[in-house]
Amino acid sequence: MLGEKYFELDMSYWGRSRRLVIQILCIWALVAYGLPALVLETNKMNYLGFPLGYYNCAQVIPLFFGALLLIFNHVQEGIEADQMDGKPMVEAASSAALNAVLMKVYVAYTGGFVSFVLFLGFLEAVGVPDQAIGILFVIFTLGMYAAIGIASRTSKSDDFYVAGRNVPPIFNGMATAADWMSGASFVGMAGTLYALGYDGLAYITGWTGGYVLVSTVIAPYLRRFGSFTVPEFIASRYQGTVQLPGGKVVEMSGFARFLATIVLLSCSFTYLTAQVFSTGVIVSRFIGIQFEVAVFSGLIGVLFCSLLGGMRAVTYTQVAQYVILIIAYTVPAICMSTTQDDGFNKNNPVEFLVYGGTLQAIALREKEMVLLGLASKVTPYLEPKWRRVDFFALTFCLMVGTASLPHVLMRYFTTPSVRSARRSVTWSLGFILVLYMTAPAYAAFAKLEVYTNVIGQPLSVLPQWVFTYGKIGLTSVCGKAVASVNEAVEACAQATGGDYLLRLKDLKISKDAMVIATPEIAGLPYTIAGLVSAGGLAASLSTADGLLLAISNALSHDIYFRLIDDKASIQKRLLISRVLLVVIALMAAGTAASKPADILSMVAWAFSLAASGNFPALVLGIWWRRANAQGAIAGIICGWGLTLTYLLGTVYGGWELWGGISNVAAAVFGLPVGFAANIIVSLLTSPPPDNVLAMVDSLRDFKVTGEDLTAEELEDIKEKEEALARTQVLQVSNTAEATAEATAELTI
């Protein structure tokens, strides 16, 4: 029997795959939490001038995660090769051809961009004003993204939602990296490390470690399912009925879809606001316009890409944006690293090997500032200030949040196959590591420059960048944002600027200003500063593209099409999606203009909301057959609801922190509650229907999605899928009314 054959294959393939995942995750957890737990002891040891504990979290652990994914892919593909009786798995010829074409296009594009930067450097050398160069950078990059959006326009739903599912792994990895390395990573990461020192490394450990979860636990199975959105998977996985007190039977998949969409909106809109905020910071600095105006101006490039071509345009734009942002981030760091001579390195351009001596110089300068009376006390940059539980809680929330973010997961719907999805995750982490390996060096170089050349200097000789960024509220002297020496003298209540030496507590630099200000802090040419602005803009816009698409697709596909009008034409659905793109973009810009918080904090909130709302439903839906619709709904309401309540209470309600845990790690409370509610309610209610159990088995069965099936087996699978699709359409046709009634009953 065909069913028996699938059952036997599933046991063999699934059993080996499951054991591999468990082994990988055990190693992952041991390294992710074991090495940071020993930081105080290992910091006493040096490696190339680095305190080993700091270096482990900044460089060793992220690189280890990348190596772990390479091992996982190799072993997993070996398991799949056994299922193919040793025959190689060949990717579609169309994907290979597309890969070759894209490689040529983006190599030419990279050469063109480098030539443009060199041309602007020439303009600076011949006396073109700095602001003109900044404007050229912004206009050129925005115009280029808009051009890609126009060239990639489409009216096909498959292209609009999932880029035709034929994006090669390496380019999907670049697009995902650009989508991922938002304003938080580009603009906020080095600034956070500058401000927090060792404790800021929790962000690097958490965000890189999350990709191990994405690759092993979630992404391949979502790709195998073949949905357009995360809420669509949750609705299909959590089908089932419940009888209300009045006797009416209600299909629960619509309610599960609705809740999943609410979770998506909450985390994605929070994340989107942070990207628009960082766009405003960059545009206001380099074009010289008011922050609130800059926020709305930055949306032009985003809307061109998203409106015209959907995921297809966004994907190819994000590849272009990755090229710009990674050049922009690494070039200043390389320039600064070549000036270092610390006894270990001299003129070494490999920045993540060079800054050990810089860290030692920072530690010495901290002690010197106290001795000179420039600071009463300095918190050591290299030592943890947080409790270990705080570091681990934030790391955990960021890891799980990474594996739960809808706009990241939907990128893996675009690959040609399950194997491509796994490889794409590895490429994603590899491209992300280029920036994350550089961020600690960036922060260290900037820290030493400020400590050495700003702190302890008379007000009359403060560098111009202090006043430049003071004009837009990103720096302050003696508690005030100042735009001139006279204003600094007045702020510090001094008669003249020549006698008073600036103390450590007198200077405040926004974490969101650090990266774009560092080239000026280090005295690099203005063209480099303009290059960094272009990179920051690319990082913010690429993530904003993905987030806008995730939100509008969820509303148009999961709410409008699935719950309101299941007969809507493709043209009508795409029109609604595009209208929603504009509305959501304007709402995000309005929210960002109010400056609700720093970029990294807003992003961390989004991770906690995604982790508590999505992760239990996704993981249990794939890995536990007994999970049912009632359990998923209970888990989302309890887990996500608790996390949101804690966030709102501590940020806006004046609540005390529970156990001292910061609200950026709010999911540490909601996530276990979500898992517990899902499991308990699932066990107390009836099992999922047979068609759902068959779907879960198909997610775990290699041959159902492999190529080695007979024509008879393929036809049988196709008939079952079509029958299931018809069932789902019938179920959701009346879901809008039923969902409203069910919500009212549950509320009562």
Side-chain angles (χ1 to χ4, degrees), residues 595-620:
K595 301 182 179 180
D598 66 86
I599 295 172
L600 214 62
S601 293
M602 286 188 280
V603 167
W605 297 344
F607 277 76
S608 279
L609 291 170
S612 58
N614 283 336
F615 195 71
L618 291 171
V619 170
L620 294 176

Side-chain angles (χ1 to χ4, degrees), residues 119-133 527:
F119 173 70
L120 291 184
F122 169 76
L123 293 182
E124 180 182 5
V126 298
V128 173
D130 290 347
Q131 189 171 5
I133 292 174
T527 299

